[in-house]
Structures are given as structure tokens and as C-alpha cells.
Amino acid sequence: MHRNRGYDELIAICRGYLTNPQNYELIQKAYDYICDKHANQFRKSGEPYRVHLIEVACTLAELHSGPVTIAAGLLHDIIEDCDIDEEQLAKLFTSEIAHLVMAVTKITKLSSFDIIDYQAENHRKLFIAMARDIRVIVIKLADRLHNMRTLNFMPKEKQLSIAKETLEIYTPIAHRLGIYAIKTELEDLSIKYLEPEKYENIVSLIKSNQNLRNESMKRIQSRIEKILFDNQIPYEISGRVKSIYSIYKKMYLKDKNFNEIYDLQALRIITHTKTNCYEVLGYIHDAFRPIPGRFKDYIAMPKPNLYQSLHTTIISDDRNIFEIQIRTKEMDETAETGIAAHWRYKENIAYDPKVEQKEIEEKLHWFKDLISISDDDSSNNAKDYMEALTRDIFEANVYVMTPKGRVIDLPNGATPIDFAYKVHTQVGHTMIGAMVNSSIAPLTHILKTGDIVDIKTNKNTGPSEDWLKIAKTSYALNHIRKYLSKQLLLINKDEAIASGKELFSIAVKEDGMILQDCIKFLEDDKYKNIRIYENMQELYAAIGYRHVSAGNIVAKIHAETKLQERLAERTAEILNRSKKTINKATSAENNLGIIIEGLDNCAISMAQCCAPIPGDEIIGFISKGLGVKIHRTNCPNMQQEKRRLIAAQWDPHIDNSLQHIAYIQLTCSDRPNLLMEIINCLTQGKISMQSINGRVNEKNSIATFNIIIKVSNADQLRNVFYMLDNITGVLSVERISKN
Ligand code: MN
């Protein structure tokens, strides 16, 4: 375990970044003071109390905190334990230090060690107190880290409640601040006390086969080193095993087998520049087979806690699986110490905690939300409020983008409405629809990480009652409620009618139609379904009360009046297009369903190597004396060819009952009945299978199956991939060449 450090070691860490002698005077003064005041106090471990205070200060110094923060770290228990008040402390040191220590003390008092069921109100105060000054959070995290490291000296009951609180409050905060070094250790320690048996089980699983894994790790490491050295890329490389807590989550919360954990072993490559990172990635994907769907580019799209890195997962030559993380030195520092890396104490630059606080708030907008929500005291239902707030803060792990690439983080289950309000309140209030990845999505659509969301707005509309059932974030819900309650206070019916009339005429104008025509249209009982209400007065009132949106009504009128016109246009367009294809098809017909423009009466055949199927992107290769061979554009045999290629397309009228051969390969972690399930899956999908060949690597239990199936087109093949990929244990499904 951790050996206790002394004052000398604290100073040694500080020397790494503090040179101004004045800084040491302050730290020395705080140290002398605590040695005196805490002199007769001891930790549960029997050690002098100052041991705890020095450890806390060392952690703060490791994060490169400023001297004021370190001094406050040393003094953090003095008000609570030594009968000294804020005023005395301010006189002796500074009011800034006194203030920090007081804030930490308040949190310590709030901390609900003795209460098993946490109270929402206490949680709330805890967050708010910490959110006021980032340094308070960091001191509290350092304090908790040392308390967790020495938790074995506590009685059993306290161990459980402290570990629970750590996992529920402190590790999420460390995560959101991106301080992974502290986060990981806190998580592992919490689980050690909360789930001791599972913890031991994981530790022994990691130990078993460790030699084999180490060898494999060494082999891949030296191979990567050689590649990077040969290509003259600067690098540092290190290997690691996944943290115990993350293995715990996969095994016990996601119900995975220990052998099914992809990224049990990870290699981290640290290089110089961003460009180097992508180069390294290129060489690695060139040398090893990456597992599809596992590549993540957090450099182009940083996490909200500012984490940047490239992640990919590859299969090594000995068929072990490794996660590879590639980043620059700066990115690595940010990953280990989070935002602390961004506000590291810089000497000779006037330090202003307010400026720092503001900078951090801007960088981490969730943090700003937290503060602004806590400023708003209108909420009187603390429990609902806290539930929504904790959900926002702790489960914010869907990262979505605006069309311009701004990353918005939202809790799981968030909808386009939540997204719109997060972008801007006004965007939320005026949204009428959303495009997710360029297609129209309903407001109830659940957003996924990586979605690009474009909100459509119309300033004549407003939120409706049912949005309250759809939105998930406290932020959106608050704003919708506020808006709606304002609407209820609104006006008598005459005023509503007047306002509705006004809104309607604006909406008509914006659409470019003529008001009189629209009114005439709506008055016609033929279109009662669009008018919805008995007469125009009722409709205006409904618009005025925002029960219906003027924009929607206008859009419906527009759609109806233009319908005939547009139908005619579209029909003409379709006719035109099909004429063109017919013309094309006649230029070179053959029974393979391939169209090569300008080439008649030429023998066309399918390449055996890559076996194209309808729907694949294809290209023709003019072979000497053998006519044209059709390959897939990504066939490895075609990569070097440039000159003898000719464009080829599938005939859109191809006969879909024809079956084509496709070669696929499955990589799986082996388990009983796996082969059975693969065959069942194909049979149920009514896929005809020509052959299946499997082999298992006994060392790591990775099974590889080569399967030849027949499908009618690429869409069907994609479905097959999807079905196979859903079988437990299947790591990857790939299309391969014949050999
Ligand atoms: Mn303490």
C-alpha cells in the first residue's frame, strides 16, 4: 500500500513547478501551524494526524496546485478539529485561505456518513458548495482519496457508507472534471469495500494467465516499437491492464465473461504532435487487424471533460485483443489530471481565482449549468429537482453534435428537445422539429453518441404541454414549465383571439402565401380537418393560447394547396429518370446484371477473388483476352491497378432471386454451443450456407470461422452481418477474399 510521505517529500514535489521562495514561506507556515494545533490528535490508524494533512497536500501538489491551495489543503481540518474559526484563520493567513478552509469544512459537515439513505437536500448542498470554487472540489477529492486509502482502519459500517458515498458522489465528480488518476483509484477502492468478494475474484482473474498476457503484451509492444522506430515517429509506449472497477462493471453490471472483455489490456502510445497521432494510427491499422466499430476519435471530438485521445482495438498476431490509445503528451496530462492540467499554477502570472473559475466554467459548460441551476431558488421540490440534477451530472454520457461540430453532452435517453434547450433556451422554445443525421426524427427520438442534430425552428411557435412527457433534462423541463405557466396567466379570450390572428397572419406571410386566400381556404368546410375548430374565431383563440401552432396550420394549408402541383412535378421527374436508366441499360446488356457504358458485346465475368454481389461498389478490370472482370472497388487486387480499369454499375432492374457467393469471417471468443448458434442464426435467416470452417486458438480461446454463404445482394449481406454480430461472443464479422 501507500507509504506515508513527509514534509520533505511534499516540498520535493512542489520544487517541480514552484520556484518563488515566497510560496514556500506560506506552505511552511501552514505546516508549522498544523503540527502545533493537531499535535495531540491521531488518526484511526494510530498515526499522527498531520500524516493525513501532508498526504492531502502531496496529492494537491501532484496536480500542480498553487501554494494557496496547498496551504488550504494542509489546514483543511483545522476549523473542524481544532476549535479555530474562520476569522482567526483569516488574521493569521489570508481571508482567501480562511474562506477555502471554511468551504471544505462545510462540506465535511454535510457529508452524510451516518445516514445510509442519502438525503437529496444534502446532496444538493454538497454540489453547490463545491461548485462555487473549483479549488474546494480538488481539496475535497484529495481528502477523500487519502481517507479511502486508509479506510481499513475504520469500523465496517463506516467503511460501507464512506465507500458508497465515494462511488456515488466523488468519483462522478472526478470523472466529470477528467481527473482520471484520482477517479480510477477511488473507484477501485470503493469496490474493494462494497463488493469484497467480487473484487478478490477480479484480482485473481487478472493474476491468472498473467504471464501469458505479459508475454503477448511484450511481443506486440516490441513490434509496434519497431514500426514506429522504422518510420521515425517519436514515441513513448506503455502497457496496462484495465482498472478493477471497469472490469467489475463489465462482468457484473453488463454480465460479460472475463474472457469477453475486449480491452482488458491496453497500450498507450504518447507521441509529439496531433499529426503524429494519426500517423501512428495509420501504421497500426496497417500492421494489425482493427476490430470494426471500436475506433474512436476523441481528438477531433473531445469528451466534455476535455479528454482527447485516439482509441482503437486490434487483434495481435497471436490473436490477443488490445486496446490502443494514442495521444500527445499534453493530451496525456489532461487525461490524468483533467481540468487541473489546464489551470496548473503558473508562477509570475497574477493568479485570480475568479478568472480561473470563469475559465473553467466556460470550458465545462455542464459546470456552469450546475451553478446557474443552484442559483435559481424557485424550485421547492428538492427531491425531484435533485433527481433530475444528479441525472444530468452523473449520467451525462451521450455526446451529440450541432451541424457546426459543437459537442453537446446529454444524459442517456435525452431527446431532440433536450438538445435544443441545451443549445439555447430560445432554440428550445421555438423548435418545431429535428433532423438527426440528416433525416427527420420525431421529438421522442432517443439520441445516441455521435448523432448530428439540426434543430428546425419557427419563432411563432412555443413549447407544448406534451413536451413535459418527452424531455429528460431538468434544464429543458424547467424552461418548458416556466414558459407554459406564463402562457396560462395570459389574457382573456378576446385577447387570445387577437393574438392568434396576429400570429396566424405572420406565419402566412413568412410562408409566402396570401392571407385572404388562406382564410378563405380555412373557412371552407371541405378543409375542416385542417381548421380543427368549429370556426375561425375558435381557431384564432387556440393559436393565441398556444394550443395549436399557427406555423403548423399554415404548413398544412401550404401542403394541401401545393399538393396537386407537386405531385405532377414529381411524376414527371420519375418518368424522366426511368427513361435514362432504360437508355443506359440497353448500351451493354448481359445476364450478370452489370452495366458498362459504351462497351457492347464484350465478355463480362465476375472476379473470383472478391466475389462482388449486387449493391457492392464495383469496377471493371479489362483483362487481356478474357474480356472484363468485375471486382469490388476495395478488392486488394485492384489497389495497384490504375490504367486498365473501367467504370461499371449494377443494373437497377437486376433479378433479385439470383443468389451470389460471399465469403465471410467471424472472430469470436470461444464458448460452448457457439458453432451451433451461428448455424442456427443463418438457418433462421433463411441464408443458404455452402461451407463453414472453424479453428480455435487454445491459448486465448479466440475462434475464427470462415463461412461461405449465398445472398441476393449487399443489403441482405448487411442483415446477415447484423444478425451474426448479435450473437454473444462474436467480436467481429468481416467480408474476406476467397483465400
Ligand atoms: Mn480530512
Side-chain angles (χ1 to χ4, degrees):
M1 270 299 284
H2 279 268
R3 191 183 51 84
N4 289 324
R5 291 172 285 190
Y7 182 70
D8 292 348
E9 276 151 302
L10 169 63
I11 296 304
I13 302 171
C14 293
R15 289 249 151 76
Y17 67 101
L18 292 179
T19 52
N20 189 337
Q22 272 179 354
N23 293 331
Y24 292 94
E25 273 168 34
L26 179 64
I27 296 170
Q28 178 78 51
K29 188 174 166 191
Y31 178 68
D32 291 342
Y33 192 64
I34 57 137
C35 285
D36 177 29
K37 293 291 169 189
H38 288 283
N40 297 318
Q41 294 168 2
F42 295 89
R43 294 276 287 176
K44 284 259 159 43
S45 60
E47 287 162 327
Y49 201 85
R50 64 166 187 279
V51 167
H52 168 64
L53 306 169
I54 294 170
E55 280 297 325
V56 169
C58 283
T59 300
L60 293 170
E62 281 163 352
L63 296 170
H64 288 204
S65 305
V68 170
T69 313
I70 293 178
L74 286 169
L75 295 163
H76 81 267
D77 281 328
I78 209 122
I79 294 181
E80 176 78 359
D81 295 343
C82 301
D83 211 17
I84 285 158
D85 64 21
E86 189 178 349
E87 217 173 293
Q88 284 170 282
L89 211 53
K91 265 186 206 150
L92 228 97
F93 292 90
T94 61
S95 60
E96 190 186 8
I97 289 182
H99 202 76
L100 278 174
V101 175
M102 195 59 212
V104 175
T105 307
K106 276 188 190 151
I107 295 167
T108 311
K109 280 189 178 154
L110 278 175
S111 196
S112 35
F113 282 0
D114 302 323
I115 309 163
I116 300 293
D117 291 321
Y118 294 113
Q119 283 170 4
E121 190 52 31
N122 261 7
H123 259 185
R124 182 173 110 99
K125 283 185 186 148
L126 210 63
F127 289 127
I128 294 166
M130 287 200 269
R132 296 285 175 207
D133 190 327
I134 192 88
R135 293 173 296 177
V136 175
I137 301 185
V138 179
I139 295 170
K140 209 49 218 171
L141 281 175
D143 179 36
R144 181 50 60 101
L145 181 63
H146 187 248
N147 286 337
M148 285 299 292
R149 282 174 178 169
T150 52
L151 199 57
N152 53 323
F153 298 106
M154 283 286 179
K156 184 99 192 143
E157 234 170 77
K158 278 212 159 183
Q159 286 180 350
L160 289 179
S161 66
I162 294 174
K164 186 164 181 261
E165 190 185 60
T166 302
L167 203 56
E168 285 181 358
I169 301 192
Y170 290 94
T171 66
I173 288 174
H175 172 76
R176 304 294 279 132
L177 295 177
I179 310 176
Y180 284 111
I182 291 184
K183 177 207 163 205
T184 307
E185 192 177 342
L186 285 180
E187 280 174 344
D188 286 2
L189 285 166
S190 302
I191 220 67
K192 182 177 169 183
Y193 290 96
L194 292 172
E195 297 281 2
E197 278 164 33
K198 289 172 182 166
Y199 179 90
E200 288 308 326
N201 182 30
I202 293 169
V203 170
S204 70
L205 280 169
I206 292 175
K207 275 188 189 147
S208 69
N209 285 328
Q210 197 166 33
N211 288 345
L212 270 181
R213 268 202 309 273
N214 284 348
E215 271 170 39
S216 172
M217 176 101 84
K218 258 186 229 156
R219 268 196 299 275
I220 189 166
Q221 194 166 327
S222 61
R223 183 146 171 233
I224 291 175
E225 284 186 60
K226 185 174 177 337
I227 293 169
L228 297 181
F229 181 82
D230 289 347
N231 289 290
Q232 300 185 330
I233 293 181
Y235 71 89
E236 274 170 49
I237 189 167
S238 59
R240 68 198 60 235
V241 174
K242 223 175 164 55
S243 85
I244 292 174
Y245 182 68
S246 45
I247 296 172
Y248 166 84
K249 271 203 302 198
K250 294 245 158 121
M251 284 179 69
Y252 297 106
L253 306 182
K254 290 193 177 161
D255 217 17
K256 295 238 173 192
N257 221 309
F258 186 71
N259 294 325
E260 283 175 280
I261 301 173
Y262 281 176
D263 38 9
L264 187 65
Q265 313 173 88
L267 281 170
R268 182 171 300 163
I269 301 169
I270 295 171
T271 183
H272 276 191
T273 64
K274 208 156 97 174
T275 314
N276 287 150
C277 293
Y278 289 101
E279 279 171 347
V280 171
L281 178 77
Y283 288 122
I284 286 181
H285 278 186
D286 191 36
F288 303 96
R289 205 164 70 205
I291 293 184
R294 299 273 310 172
F295 168 61
K296 293 195 186 79
D297 186 347
Y298 294 121
I299 292 182
M301 201 165 88
K303 290 188 184 181
N305 63 19
L306 309 174
Y307 178 87
Q308 285 190 297
S309 191
L310 297 176
H311 288 189
T312 185
T313 305
I314 54 152
I315 304 178
S316 67
D317 300 332
D318 49 11
R319 304 198 72 73
N320 276 309
I321 291 170
F322 289 89
E323 185 184 73
I324 313 268
Q325 304 169 344
I326 307 163
R327 52 176 84 150
T328 65
K329 187 140 191 76
E330 203 192 348
M331 293 172 192
D332 191 52
E333 274 172 10
T334 305
E336 290 301 313
T337 58
I339 54 152
H342 284 258
W343 52 269
R344 288 186 155 206
Y345 184 75
K346 289 177 205 81
E347 281 193 322
N348 306 322
I349 294 174
Y351 177 81
D352 183 345
K354 277 191 194 131
V355 172
E356 173 188 290
Q357 185 76 2
K358 197 155 182 291
E359 276 176 10
I360 290 165
E361 282 167 22
E362 271 160 16
K363 284 200 171 107
L364 303 159
H365 47 92
W366 65 270
F367 194 75
K368 195 158 121 193
D369 289 350
L370 171 58
I371 296 171
S372 74
I373 290 170
S374 62
D375 280 338
D376 181 1
D377 277 335
S378 63
S379 155
N380 45 19
N381 193 338
K383 196 158 170 283
D384 280 2
Y385 167 86
M386 261 324 287
E387 266 172 24
L389 184 59
T390 24
R391 203 165 48 229
D392 288 2
I393 294 167
F394 291 169
E395 294 170 20
N397 46 12
V398 180
Y399 306 130
V400 193
M401 280 190 299
T402 67
K404 284 187 180 156
R406 181 177 147 208
V407 179
I408 304 282
D409 67 318
L410 292 167
N412 269 326
T415 64
I417 297 179
D418 299 297
F419 175 89
Y421 277 98
K422 197 83 186 258
V423 170
H424 196 280
T425 314
Q426 214 43 43
V427 175
H429 281 345
T430 57
M431 86 174 283
I432 47 168
M435 306 279 286
V436 175
N437 304 325
S438 312
S439 32
I440 296 170
L443 295 185
T444 50
H445 181 87
I446 306 292
L447 296 172
K448 295 187 311 299
T449 292
D451 281 348
I452 297 173
V453 187
D454 190 3
I455 297 294
K456 300 293 169 205
T457 58
N458 179 327
K459 63 174 180 290
N460 300 313
T461 64
S464 70
E465 200 68 40
D466 41 300
W467 287 16
L468 291 171
K469 292 187 199 107
I470 302 171
K472 292 285 182 314
T473 55
S474 56
Y475 189 79
L477 290 168
N478 272 342
H479 280 289
I480 297 167
R481 272 195 210 105
K482 260 187 208 163
Y483 184 98
L484 291 174
S485 64
K486 262 186 208 156
Q487 293 310 307
L488 286 180
L489 292 174
L490 207 114
I491 56 180
N492 60 40
K493 194 167 176 182
D494 285 344
E495 281 173 314
I497 291 172
S499 140
K501 240 181 182 166
E502 171 86 23
L503 284 172
F504 182 69
S505 76
I506 294 171
V508 169
K509 218 186 262 170
E510 280 202 343
D511 192 86
M513 291 189 293
I514 296 158
L515 186 60
Q516 283 317 311
D517 292 353
C518 290
I519 294 174
K520 214 184 241 172
F521 177 96
L522 283 177
E523 280 171 341
D524 188 343
D525 273 351
K526 211 164 85 188
Y527 300 112
K528 210 175 152 187
N529 61 323
I530 293 175
R531 191 178 68 216
I532 314 169
Y533 292 85
E534 199 46 48
N535 55 49
M536 286 306 281
Q537 293 309 93
E538 294 297 319
L539 174 63
Y540 287 143
I543 294 172
Y545 284 124
R546 307 292 198 282
H547 295 148
V548 291
S549 106
N552 270 347
I553 303 280
V554 170
K556 279 182 193 159
I557 302 172
H558 190 117
E560 189 61 39
T561 51
K562 298 280 158 111
L563 190 64
Q564 290 308 322
E565 211 177 304
R566 278 196 287 141
L567 263 182
E569 267 172 36
R570 206 178 298 163
T571 318
E573 203 180 291
I574 291 167
L575 273 175
N576 236 330
R577 210 184 297 153
S578 55
K579 256 188 221 157
K580 273 187 200 155
T581 20
I582 291 163
N583 285 342
K584 260 191 197 171
T586 45
S587 70
E589 258 184 88
N590 52 70
N591 53 11
L592 292 171
I594 302 285
I595 300 171
I596 298 178
E597 259 180 289
L599 206 67
D600 294 330
N601 302 324
C602 174
I604 296 178
S605 57
M606 290 294 179
Q608 295 287 305
C609 52
C610 55
I613 58 175
D616 284 338
E617 277 195 49
I618 47 170
I619 195 146
F621 175 71
I622 307 165
S623 58
K624 284 176 190 145
L626 289 168
V628 176
K629 285 253 184 225
I630 302 297
H631 289 261
R632 278 153 61 193
T633 37
N634 57 4
C635 172
N637 292 336
M638 289 299 102
Q639 296 311 311
Q640 305 307 325
E641 294 294 340
K642 290 264 147 61
R643 268 187 265 154
R644 292 154 67 192
L645 299 179
I646 183 165
Q649 278 169 305
W650 293 101
D651 182 350
H653 307 294
I654 192 165
D655 183 356
N656 262 326
S657 64
L658 291 175
Q659 297 267 296
H660 307 263
I661 281 196
Y663 303 96
I664 59 178
Q665 186 173 65
L666 294 191
T667 307
C668 321
S669 70
D670 195 28
R671 61 176 175 85
N673 286 330
L674 182 60
L675 180 61
M676 234 2 232
E677 268 183 51
I678 293 171
I679 294 171
N680 273 345
C681 170
L682 291 169
T683 318
Q684 270 168 18
K686 298 199 169 56
I687 301 298
S688 95
M689 189 173 64
Q690 300 256 306
S691 84
I692 181 163
N693 274 311
R695 57 181 187 277
V696 180
N697 177 337
E698 295 297 338
K699 263 195 195 161
N700 59 9
S701 301
I702 297 280
T704 312
F705 296 97
N706 285 352
I707 310 173
I708 304 177
I709 56 171
K710 277 188 154 186
V711 288
S712 53
N713 55 39
D715 275 344
Q716 194 182 17
L717 186 63
R718 258 192 292 280
N719 283 336
V720 173
F721 272 41
Y722 182 75
M723 293 186 310
L724 291 171
D725 205 35
N726 269 335
I727 298 174
T728 314
V730 170
L731 303 174
S732 73
V733 189
E734 274 180 292
R735 183 119 169 247
I736 53 168
S737 292
K738 189 180 180 184
N739 297 313

